Amino acid sequence: MTRTVGDYLLERLSAWGVRRIYGYPGDGINGIMGAFGRLTASTADKPDEGMRFIQAGHEELAAFMACAHAKFTGEVGVCLATSGPGAIHLLNGLYDASLDHQPVVAIVGQQKRSAIGGDYQQEVDLISLFKDVAHEFVHMATTPEQVRHLVDRAMRIARDRRAVTCIIFPNDVQELPAAEPPREHGTVHTGIGHTALGQVPAAAELLRAADILNRGKKVAMLVGAGALGATEELIAVADRLGAGVAKALLGKAAMPDDLPYVTGAIGLLGTKPSWDLMNACDTLLMVGSGFPYSEFLPPEGKARGVQIDIDPRMIGLRYPMELGLVGDSRETLRALLPLLEQKDAAGWRKDITGWVDRWWRVMEGRALNPGEPVNPQRVFWELSPRLPADSILTCDSGSAANWYARDIQLKRGMMGSLSGGLATMGPAVPYALAAKFAHPQRPVIALVGDGAMQMNGITGLISIARHWREWSDPRLVVMVLNNGDLNEVTWEQRALGGDPRFADAQEVPAFPYAEYARLLGLEGIRVDRPEQVAPAWDAAFAADRPALVEMVTDPNIPPIPPHLTAKQTLAYFSALRGDPDAKALILASLRETWEHLFPIGKG
């Protein structure tokens, strides 16, 4: 059979090292799917040379899985969808990748070239549609000779700019005979060779940065996703400077939470020690973070600032930095470390470790408070000491993210992520699936609210049931917070808008999550009493198959920010006047406040 453009596309992607493509079939990509069938048959006995199509159940999940593949492997994630509606469905997951600066290539079908512009069925102006999310590179193949440079540029730009790119294939082009570009005027001849990127700023700039940091007496560090590969260097620099370290949510795994000077998450979902750290410091070192909320950073003019980021567009964006160092976080910190003086910051470190110790006692007390029927904080608090050493955690947006940020203590070697910049609902289960495909030997835990579970997590659960026997370690635990409420929005309405809960919008329909998991052949565990929480986690990790743990939790436990403004406080109490759960809310709020004032374990 004649080698087609579809065949060539997969061969070229394979040459770039792509081994999995996440997608959903449709007639707009029949030529590519046919090529997949031929490739799978020809490489059945050559697993190192083959490429696998992973049916995601929905195109949105495919894009989430491609994003998660990039997050958990450092490689380019690739997703595939048919023309029209299939391409449109990719967008939410692609924006998730774009806003979190993850390298993803989207491949989408289109109607025949002869029909384009004719208001044909499923014809959508895909170049315009993808121009924002894939603004670094989006093009349509119209001849076989283009395909080589379109694939090469899409992969290279996605990888080296940490961006989303897109290639559009009309379905008739997919079936054309493959062709290399001829050696003549008007053709392009690209290659797959390595890109050597600048990794370290100039020596003079490193000296300037060291001078600023050496002069600081109370140094704070803020680390994000760009520092995930620099744990050892971050620890060395923090110890040399006597610094405390706060973490943006995407950078949660960059520093172990069991270090006494790590203050944890920052921002609305953050901790009181991180708030205190930023307000008391005189120097800020920000590494690989685009944390957006300036009100949680030092007051402008109070602290000198040095920022390290691989992307010059991010320098000075969140805080008026005195100096920006453009380079790889790990390599830049390595080059900076010998220039830093060992500080005697015993008093500053004592303040920080005192704040951190007190905070964990507050968290323990809050987690052990009663709930109706179960306090959601306890669910996360009991998980922390049970996490296997090489765990990968995924979390959804919503109130689950509050407890993940505050109550989970990640240790060295663990990984974790969620939708950061977009903060969209729905990625936790597809993220977990992609993590398991990439690391089948590691246990994976997805932390999901009931709203997100009903949105697309149930579809992802079907895929888990389909694939789990392929994994060397079958442990994939999906935890569902079943509180019958779109809880994060409910709390935002109360604290930001001063409005009581609006049941018509906020109520989540009842669904038997654990029973459904058992129907699929998975382990299903339902918890509706506090004393069941710890044994449920133990049982889930001991199961011989993936498990869903349905935690029936109290929607009225408030996720109190580390710093409440007067406006937020007034709005909250205004909302209570018309809220049907006002009595329970007041009681829960008083308990949370009590634990803050009188932490557990303090005599």
Side-chain angles (χ1 to χ4, degrees):
M1 182 177 177
T2 302
R3 182 164 157 265
T4 68
V5 165
D7 294 313
Y8 183 86
L9 165 67
L10 299 185
E11 291 168 10
R12 198 68 178 178
L13 289 170
S14 181
W16 274 95
V18 176
R19 293 294 175 262
R20 281 181 296 280
I21 295 180
Y22 305 96
Y24 204 79
D27 62 0
I29 50 172
N30 276 348
I32 298 172
M33 298 310 299
F36 250 119
R38 292 188 290 275
L39 178 64
T40 301
S42 67
T43 59
D45 58 344
K46 305 171 187 175
D48 293 337
E49 299 178 19
M51 184 190 301
R52 187 174 179 192
F53 177 79
I54 305 293
Q55 187 196 102
H58 189 285
E59 292 89 355
E60 183 183 23
L61 275 70
F64 280 140
M65 292 169 79
C67 176
H69 178 93
K71 287 185 172 186
F72 293 128
T73 67
E75 303 168 353
V76 177
V78 182
C79 55
L80 174 65
T82 188
S83 56
I88 293 167
H89 284 157
L90 289 177
L91 286 174
N92 194 44
L94 294 181
Y95 272 103
D96 181 41
S98 177
L99 271 64
D100 284 353
H101 308 284
Q102 295 303 314
V104 170
V105 174
I107 299 168
V108 295
Q110 178 59 291
Q111 292 301 324
K112 289 183 179 181
R113 291 169 294 173
S114 59
I116 294 174
D119 196 21
Y120 204 75
Q121 184 189 35
Q122 292 193 343
E123 182 196 349
V124 173
D125 183 355
L126 294 177
I127 291 179
S128 296
L129 181 71
F130 283 88
K131 197 62 179 179
D132 182 48
V133 71
H135 56 268
E136 297 283 0
F137 187 85
V138 51
H139 286 280
M140 183 169 69
T142 57
T143 70
E145 292 80 6
Q146 279 180 285
V147 176
R148 173 172 152 184
H149 74 255
L150 291 181
V151 173
D152 290 353
R153 295 203 71 213
M155 288 293 295
R156 189 180 301 278
I157 291 169
R159 184 191 66 187
D160 296 346
R161 296 299 296 267
R162 301 194 64 79
V164 172
T165 60
C166 176
I167 317 173
I168 302 160
F169 284 90
N171 56 30
D172 59 324
V173 172
Q174 300 167 33
E175 301 281 5
L176 293 175
E180 293 285 358
R183 189 171 179 267
E184 62 184 36
H185 186 70
T187 62
V188 177
H189 299 256
T190 54
I192 297 177
H194 174 70
T195 304
L197 296 172
Q199 299 290 306
V200 181
E205 300 306 310
L206 291 169
L207 284 168
R208 287 183 61 197
D211 180 66
I212 294 170
L213 296 170
N214 287 334
R215 291 174 183 268
K217 298 186 183 303
K218 297 181 176 181
V219 180
M221 294 171 61
L222 172 58
V223 303
L228 285 172
T231 300
E232 299 305 322
E233 291 75 15
L234 290 168
I235 292 172
V237 168
D239 286 339
R240 185 71 56 88
L241 295 173
V245 184
K247 301 186 290 186
L249 199 48
L250 286 174
K252 185 172 175 64
M255 290 281 278
D257 284 304
D258 53 4
L259 293 175
Y261 56 83
V262 171
T263 61
I266 188 173
L268 286 167
L269 312 186
T271 72
K272 182 66 163 53
S274 291
W275 170 265
D276 293 335
L277 179 73
M278 291 295 147
N279 280 278
C281 72
D282 61 19
T283 308
L284 173 64
L285 172 59
M286 185 183 294
V287 185
S289 176
F291 174 73
Y293 303 126
S294 59
E295 67 270 29
F296 290 94
L297 297 178
E300 188 171 339
K302 184 177 179 182
R304 303 179 75 184
V306 175
Q307 184 177 0
I308 299 171
D309 205 288
I310 195 70
D311 186 349
R313 295 173 295 185
M314 300 302 294
I315 297 295
L317 182 62
R318 307 306 187 197
Y319 188 81
M321 295 293 176
E322 190 169 338
L323 178 63
L325 299 175
V326 178
D328 175 80
S329 294
R330 180 171 59 184
E331 298 304 322
T332 301
L333 290 170
R334 281 181 179 175
L336 184 61
L337 184 61
L339 308 176
L340 300 177
E341 299 170 359
Q342 180 64 55
K343 287 188 185 298
D344 180 10
W348 176 233
R349 271 285 177 92
K350 183 179 179 181
D351 288 343
I352 297 166
T353 57
W355 297 334
V356 172
D357 174 71
R358 189 181 193 280
W359 174 256
W360 286 122
R361 289 188 283 114
V362 169
M363 287 293 95
E364 183 178 6
R366 288 179 173 178
L368 297 179
N369 277 335
E372 295 295 331
V374 175
N375 183 339
Q377 294 171 101
R378 182 163 187 165
V379 171
F380 291 75
W381 184 263
E382 296 282 11
L383 171 61
S384 270
R386 292 171 169 80
L387 286 172
D390 55 349
S391 294
I392 301 175
L393 284 81
T394 69
C395 185
D396 228 292
S397 297
S399 61
N402 286 283
W403 317 128
Y404 166 76
R406 297 178 187 176
D407 290 272
I408 294 292
Q409 298 185 44
L410 294 185
K411 295 183 172 59
R412 200 173 311 205
M414 296 180 184
M415 302 171 75
S417 196
L418 74 177
S419 176
L422 189 60
T424 179
M425 290 176 67
V429 174
Y431 269 31
L433 266 162
K436 203 65 181 175
F437 280 118
H439 303 285
Q441 77 286 2
R442 298 181 66 165
V444 176
I445 302 98
L447 307 169
V448 195
D450 48 3
M453 194 67 193
Q454 291 191 20
M455 187 174 283
N456 60 19
I458 288 171
T459 301
L461 204 65
I462 297 170
S463 294
I464 293 171
R466 176 181 182 179
H467 291 289
W468 71 266
R469 292 171 182 82
E470 305 167 17
W471 303 324
S472 53
D473 185 331
R475 287 178 294 176
L476 194 166
V477 180
V478 177
M479 188 283 297
V480 181
L481 283 179
N482 181 4
N483 57 24
D485 185 58
L486 296 174
N487 206 227
E488 184 71 12
V489 176
T490 294
W491 285 107
E492 288 170 347
Q493 288 174 343
R494 288 166 175 156
L496 301 179
D499 296 316
R501 179 178 182 268
F502 178 42
D504 289 355
Q506 298 308 110
E507 186 174 316
V508 177
F511 186 85
Y513 302 98
E515 289 181 36
Y516 185 73
R518 290 193 290 270
L519 182 67
L520 293 173
L522 306 176
E523 187 75 21
I525 303 168
R526 190 175 191 271
V527 172
D528 56 12
R529 296 199 307 275
E531 64 271 18
Q532 296 173 331
V533 173
W537 282 122
D538 291 336
F541 286 122
D544 63 353
R545 63 195 62 207
L548 183 142
V549 184
E550 177 185 353
M551 299 284 189
V552 184
T553 56
D554 190 341
N556 293 320
I557 303 295
I560 298 175
H563 175 72
L564 270 174
T565 65
K567 183 178 180 181
Q568 290 170 330
T569 303
L570 287 172
Y572 179 49
F573 282 106
S574 174
L576 290 180
R577 286 198 292 269
D579 201 300
D581 296 321
K583 184 176 180 181
L585 293 171
I586 292 171
L587 183 58
S589 299
L590 288 173
R591 286 173 177 151
E592 297 290 293
T593 303
W594 177 270
E595 298 302 338
H596 175 71
L597 295 173
F598 305 101
I600 195 168
K602 187 168 184 174

